[in-house]
Amino acid sequence: MPGSQAALMQRLHDDHATALWRYCMRLTGHDRARSEDVVQQTFLRAWRHIDELEDPHGSVRGWLFTVARNIVIDEWRSARAHSEFAVADVPEGAAEDDRTDQLLLSWVVAEAITTLSPDHRAVLLECYYRGRSVGEAARVLGVPEGTVKSRTHYALRALRLALEEMGVGA
């Protein structure tokens, strides 16, 4: 790896590793080992696609988060495929996990999102729900990239406050 690429990888790690690890912790249900594996795989893919990441027009963090999310989804799909049984092999009395808390929390978050301004809801929808990079979200929303970044910052802050008011802690 030439010196400039090594420096870019170091800068990527320094600038994004902590945020990426926190994001992976949320994606994996706070499984530290899986989160570390996903972060490592994400940076490995970043190293393999270093030329794409040198482009100043894209969002590096958005690219990293999208790759991490795709890795987790691929792992989930693979695990689901391995856990499926033929009809004759269905285990007796298999208990399903109770996902009531997760469902209730998603309702609370959905309710908190309705308290945000339309601009803040739109930027969160594009960047987090649809997984678009800052540049892509800016094109879809018809605003500058800096506006997407600042709206995202203030939208997350407002969402955190709304959730705190509803009694949900971080």
Side-chain angles (χ1 to χ4, degrees):
M1 176 185 289
S4 66
Q5 290 179 333
L8 177 60
M9 282 304 297
Q10 184 63 47
R11 195 171 65 247
L12 285 177
H13 183 271
D14 293 347
D15 292 348
H16 304 290
T18 302
L20 181 62
W21 186 76
R22 287 182 182 144
Y23 178 68
C24 290
M25 285 289 286
R26 288 192 307 266
L27 289 176
T28 61
H30 299 283
D31 183 332
R32 294 178 73 87
R34 279 187 62 215
S35 296
E36 290 169 1
D37 288 343
V38 172
V39 169
Q40 184 176 12
Q41 290 177 33
T42 302
F43 277 111
L44 179 62
R45 289 188 189 177
W47 177 72
R48 290 180 182 157
H49 296 91
I50 196 73
D51 294 333
E52 295 173 32
L53 297 176
E54 288 178 317
D55 179 20
H57 298 294
S59 167
V60 174
R61 184 167 288 189
W63 188 93
L64 292 169
F65 279 33
T66 300
V67 168
R69 188 188 73 219
N70 290 341
I71 289 169
V72 171
I73 289 170
D74 290 346
E75 287 177 355
W76 177 80
R77 287 178 179 158
S78 177
R80 188 182 77 185
H82 292 301
S83 67
E84 292 178 356
F85 298 99
V87 174
D89 298 335
V90 175
E92 295 297 321
E96 292 187 27
D97 290 338
D98 183 16
R99 301 219 181 248
T100 306
D101 289 340
Q102 185 179 3
L103 179 62
L104 291 173
L105 183 59
S106 68
W107 285 344
V108 170
V109 171
E111 180 65 27
I113 288 174
T114 64
T115 66
L116 302 179
S117 72
D119 288 339
H120 287 165
R121 279 195 307 270
V123 78
L124 291 181
L125 174 71
E126 295 301 326
C127 293
Y128 287 93
Y129 181 72
R130 294 189 175 136
R132 296 189 197 276
S133 68
V134 171
E136 292 168 337
R139 282 190 292 282
V140 168
L141 297 172
V143 296
E145 289 182 18
T147 302
V148 170
K149 291 177 184 179
S150 66
R151 283 184 186 170
T152 301
H153 171 79
Y154 290 111
L156 290 174
R157 199 162 106 185
L159 182 60
R160 185 180 312 116
L161 289 172
L163 288 169
E164 287 174 1
E165 288 175 1
M166 297 172 83
V168 178

